[in-house]
Amino acid sequence: MSNTLDYYKLLPKTNCGECGLPTCLAFAIRLAQKNAKAAACPHLTEELKTQLNNATLPLVREVVIRSDEGEIHIGGETVFYRHEKKFYNQTIICLAISDLDSQETIDKKIQMKSIERLAEKLSTNMIALFNDSKEREPFVQLVQYIQKKVTTPICLLSEEPEYLEEAINLICDSRVIIGFGKKENIQKVLHLAIKYQVAVVLSSKEGIKGLAYLEAIAKEKGVSDLILDCTGKNAIETLQIQILLRWKAVYEKNRTFGYPIISFPFYFSPEDFSKEILLAGLLTIKYSSIVVVSDNDLNQLVPLLVLRENIFTDPQKPIQVNAGLYTFGNVDKNSPVFLTTNFSLTYFTVSNDIESSGCPSYLLVIDTEGTSVLTAFAADKISAEKITEALVSVNLRKKVDHRTIIIPGFLSPLSSEIEDASSWKVLVGPTDSAEISLFLKKFWEVN
Ligand code: SF4
């Protein structure tokens, strides 16, 4: 089912409104957008509900991994290109640790580092433990050590189901993914997935045919939280397979291939972390839900973390910060009060320029649905009334002795309306916040 009419044909067409929408057509539109559940219509048979529910499931299955840090969702994607709608669940950047790594390397790797960008904390968010030694003891020891040290989800990768089971029992919670079972061990690995309710990585060196074979076995066993590992002979082949999998899932609606994908870029760039990161970026774009990297050198990881952030930003939704009152430096009763909108880029530009001025200041941020100052003004998303309400809601009268607010230059046409509505004096500031420092020297000190 791909369009609204396909859904509409199955609905009762009585427009009773009990689903919360005025008409069956409106409900069908929501179903087609995957923004409604069939259960909301009480007049559907169970059979129809199942049919509609299956049709509204994302084309790439969503797998949920739980940890102390909360739930991580992977997959759940519905489109081939981001501009068709959006990508839903961020790729997990996962750090590889081998049971052959030295203690020093392990300790260095698990020192979690992060950067802050546009009020978001960016970092790796999973650990993958490799049983490269192929022996029980080093793997179990590694799992024992790591599970106490980190709270992120852990991906356990061993060819031996017995080692995997021992490791799952050591971690003892649901933040686990297991994988790398050999073809001949697949039944045992799937048995573990059912017993411990964990997601499984299906690995095949035989391309998509091999994956289809393994998926059929998993489906027969009733295991549906699957992650596909389609590592090819080289980086290009791996990328091609990943693109093909998404194509089949989205355009052919072939659920055999509609699962999150895991990739290991370091297989193709040993000893060259910059190249690995470049490849990790490509695999993040198309279409890995988990990318396993071999090091946590933050300087090199930053481009990958930022790329991931950008790809998974909803292009239909402006990035916004919370509306409210922000302070910069040791503000007092004489500090200037600036005003801006809650579009992230505007907020961070203005706040940087305020900080650079060195003058302790307040910044009142108005909710304009994430639009910039000029757009908010043109689209009527900012008004004297809204600004007055914001001044009252943050109780600014108690915070400063003066009654002057500095508005962005683009809002100058609103200045007298703001003065009338709020009884605050308006100073029209610069149109470019880079001039805040100069503006303060010229107008605030003499104000
Ligand atoms: Fe149509 Fe069902 Fe909604 Fe009534 S509850 S309007 S029948 S979709």
Side-chain angles (χ1 to χ4, degrees), residues 11-19 21-24 27 40-43:
L11 299 177
K13 305 178 197 65
T14 56
N15 300 333
C16 70
E18 287 176 51
C19 56
L21 291 162
T23 62
C24 293
F27 189 63
C41 172
H43 305 293

Side-chain angles (χ1 to χ4, degrees), residues 15 67 133 184:
N15 300 333
S67 76
S133 70
E184 53 270 31

Side-chain angles (χ1 to χ4, degrees), residues 1 19 31 53 57 156 164 190 223 230 299 393 439:
M1 236 177 286
C19 56
L31 286 173
N53 278 339
L57 279 178
L156 300 167
L164 286 174
L190 292 171
V223 180
C230 47
N299 290 334
S393 72
F439 173 86

Side-chain angles (χ1 to χ4, degrees), residues 231-246:
T231 305
K233 289 188 208 79
N234 51 45
I236 298 292
E237 190 182 283
T238 305
L239 196 60
Q240 283 170 339
I241 300 173
Q242 294 202 173
I243 294 169
L244 188 59
L245 287 176
R246 178 64 71 90

Side-chain angles (χ1 to χ4, degrees), residues 168-319:
I168 296 171
N169 281 315
L170 284 171
I171 297 173
C172 213
D173 58 35
S174 57
R175 60 177 161 141
V176 170
I177 294 175
I178 55 172
F180 277 7
K182 289 187 207 152
K183 208 167 159 186
E184 53 270 31
N185 284 337
I186 187 70
Q187 294 286 357
K188 286 187 185 168
V189 174
L190 292 171
H191 173 73
L192 292 179
I194 295 167
K195 186 171 172 187
Y196 296 100
Q197 294 291 297
V198 293
V200 182
V201 177
L202 297 180
S203 302
S204 171
K205 300 267 182 258
E206 294 155 29
I208 64 167
K209 272 193 190 151
L211 287 173
Y213 170 78
L214 295 173
E215 194 269 351
I217 299 174
K219 204 190 277 171
E220 201 182 306
K221 270 242 169 207
V223 180
S224 46
D225 279 346
L226 304 172
I227 297 155
L228 307 182
D229 163 21
C230 47
T231 305
K233 289 188 208 79
N234 51 45
I236 298 292
E237 190 182 283
T238 305
L239 196 60
Q240 283 170 339
I241 300 173
Q242 294 202 173
I243 294 169
L244 188 59
L245 287 176
R246 178 64 71 90
W247 179 278
K248 285 190 166 293
V250 171
Y251 289 133
E252 295 179 8
K253 307 213 175 340
N254 187 338
R255 298 224 178 243
T256 300
F257 304 109
Y259 295 96
I261 298 171
I262 187 168
S263 61
F264 305 88
F266 61 90
Y267 288 169
F268 309 113
S269 52
E271 316 299 325
D272 188 345
F273 195 50
S274 322
K275 207 166 146 194
E276 180 186 328
I277 292 300
L278 199 65
L279 184 53
L282 278 173
L283 293 165
T284 300
I285 295 169
K286 294 193 178 303
Y287 286 101
S288 295
S289 291
I290 304 176
V291 171
V292 185
V293 295
S294 62
D295 200 351
N296 69 341
D297 176 348
L298 198 59
N299 290 334
Q300 305 240 39
L301 276 175
V302 165
L304 179 62
L305 297 170
V306 172
L307 174 79
R308 172 183 68 172
E309 200 69 8
N310 288 338
I311 294 167
F312 287 88
T313 301
D314 185 350
Q316 301 159 13
K317 206 170 142 199
I319 318 170

